[in-house]
């Protein structure tokens, strides 16, 4: 085996070890997150947050429903320009997309607002990526 072949083989081994370590670390993190999220106290806190977000969403609906209507129309018409001007705030895991204009947190001083996957109005603070 030549020196370059040996170096390439060593590099493949190192890469495999790194991948294995990363996969194991992610699996361990998922186990910890699952354990935390399954804790009765954490579940109860999440339920209270959902109730508060639903109440706030319902209270804001009268004032913010026109934004939902514009969003629905833009989706139906495929209006990319209208959709591009929307807030990037979302909770993809829970099927929430903020339908307010980009920058609403400072210009309108409103929380994120939209609908749940089931169609209920909801308001929330903060954002999470789609895959979280």
């Amino acid at each position: 085996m030549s020196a370059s072949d040996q170096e390439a083989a060593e590099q493949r081994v190192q890469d495999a070890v790194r991948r294995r370590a990363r996969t194991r670390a992610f699996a361990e993190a998922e186990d910890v997150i699952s354990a935390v999220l399954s804790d009765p106290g954490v579940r109860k806190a999440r339920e209270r947050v959902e109730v508060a977000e639903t109440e706030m969403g319902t209270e804001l609906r009268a004032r913010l429903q026109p934004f939902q209507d514009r969003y629905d129309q833009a989706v139906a018409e495929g209006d990319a320009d209208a959709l591009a001007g929307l807030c990037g705030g979302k909770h993809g895991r829970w099927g929430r997309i903020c339908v307010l204009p980009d920058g609403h947190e400072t210009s309108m001083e409103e929380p994120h607002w939209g609908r749940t996957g089931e169609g209920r109005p909801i308001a929330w603070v903060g954002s999470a990526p789609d895959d979280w």
Side-chain angles (χ1 to χ4, degrees):
M1 184 181 278
S2 71
S4 64
D5 290 340
Q6 190 173 7
E7 288 175 14
E10 287 177 18
Q11 184 63 46
R12 285 193 303 272
V13 169
Q14 289 176 0
D15 291 345
V17 168
R18 278 191 212 101
R19 281 192 307 272
R20 172 72 176 129
R22 193 168 106 189
T23 299
R24 185 173 177 196
F26 281 131
E28 289 174 3
E30 285 182 13
D31 289 345
V32 170
I33 290 168
S34 293
V36 169
L37 293 176
S38 67
D39 178 80
V42 172
R43 287 196 330 249
K44 190 170 196 144
R46 177 67 191 152
E47 290 168 6
R48 288 194 310 261
V49 167
E50 286 181 11
V51 166
E53 289 175 341
T54 300
E55 288 174 358
M56 186 168 47
T58 302
E59 290 172 10
L60 294 171
R61 183 179 192 170
R63 193 168 72 244
L64 301 179
Q65 183 61 42
F67 293 100
Q68 182 69 55
D69 297 341
R70 282 185 219 132
Y71 171 83
D72 292 342
Q73 183 175 358
V75 168
E77 296 174 355
D79 186 347
D81 290 336
L83 295 171
L86 294 178
C87 174
K90 57 186 147 189
H91 272 191
R93 184 176 188 181
W94 292 286
R96 303 174 185 178
I97 297 173
C98 182
V99 298
L100 300 179
D102 192 29
H104 67 87
E105 300 99 328
T106 54
S107 63
M108 298 170 62
E109 297 183 354
E110 297 286 2
H112 297 293
W113 189 86
R115 289 190 297 230
T116 64
E118 298 83 32
R120 293 187 325 268
I122 192 149
W124 69 96
V125 176
S127 191
D130 287 332
D131 61 349
W132 187 78

